[in-house]
Amino acid sequence: MPVPHTLTVDRLFPVADPASGPYALAAGADGSVWCTLVHAGRIARLTPGGRLDEFPLDADSCGPALIAAGPDGALWFTRMRDDRIGRIEVDGRARSYALPTSGAGPYGIAAGPDGALWFTQSSTGRIGRIDTGGNVAEHPLPGLDGAFPSMIAAGGDGALWFTLNRADAIGRITPDGQVSLHPLPTPGAAPVGITAAPDGDLWFTEIGAGRIGRITTAGRISEFPLPAPACRPHAITAAADGSLWFTLWASGRIGSLTPDGHLTEHPLPDPGSEPHGLVFAADGSLCTALESGGILRLRRADAVSGTARDAGGVGSRRKESSCR
């Protein structure tokens, strides 16, 4: 059973322009951590050796949002402000593909079980699919106008699962386009982030209610309230040991939750840093994108066995509560 972890700061990697808006992260096949710079129209790469590179896209205002590793070894990302899906190779060469629907507002993206990338269209209420050749298909979500489909993740059942931020629901779509809906029990939950855990369950954040949710592939839902309802949980990722890690952007913290409901909150050095995306790097470190202007690399260790190396000289305090 996973046990609580301590979390310590290793190093902060500032981006060239603090106003560029580091937003989402993904681990690439090259061992690097890749980051969207949503306000600058750039993609950043943090190499395993600690070098931070930035690659400009063809439009500063394209709004790169979510990013995911593709089955072809490239990174794929949504361009929410110009209705395109971008692709960047690990050497920095980038291109993009236009979507057939104007005003789609592509946002979440994830690799699917069929070798394609699946993405949400937040403004038009559709789920899209793009293969590695750039061919796009769109699937409408009947009766869900204005639902704002947000992030998306591949489930262990061969389907794609996604959050419906304004409908307070979790959606599921099969590779052949069959859609089902799972309403959440909490009004105003406003789910955003979603990830698949090693046990096959899907975990998600409720940014409106300050909760972490879990849904089984059979559709059974449970919720875990966080100590501060206004903490604004945003992105979430799962560790190999089954623990869940998520950003609390309004309170400047990283949260961790074991499947049995043990919560630990880890304050970041700057409470106003606004952590958004997070991902585990190839070396096991946890990286988070700070909208204040950088990528923060953290180290974790068993709370029982010891403390992680703190190269940055800043240790995290732990705030614990039971979420069961």
Side-chain angles (χ1 to χ4, degrees), residues 10 19 43 61 65 74 102-103 105 135 146 149 152 160-161 169 171 189 197 227 230 239 260 263 281 296 299 303 315:
D10 183 357
I43 303 294
S61 61
S102 177
N135 301 298
I152 187 168
L160 285 299
W161 294 72
D260 64 342
L263 170 73
L296 185 64
R299 303 285 178 182

Side-chain angles (χ1 to χ4, degrees), residues 213-229:
R214 175 174 58 195
I215 183 169
T216 69
T217 53
R220 188 171 65 253
I221 296 170
S222 52
E223 296 176 310
F224 300 84
L226 299 173

Side-chain angles (χ1 to χ4, degrees), residues 37 46 76 90 118 124 150 190-191 263 284:
L37 303 180
L46 177 61
W76 292 73
V90 294
W118 290 72
T124 54
S150 297
L263 170 73

Side-chain angles (χ1 to χ4, degrees), residues 165 168 186-192 205-211 229-233:
N165 178 260
D168 296 332
T186 300
V192 178
T205 61
E206 297 184 4
I207 198 169
R211 298 178 179 218
C231 62
R232 308 290 285 178

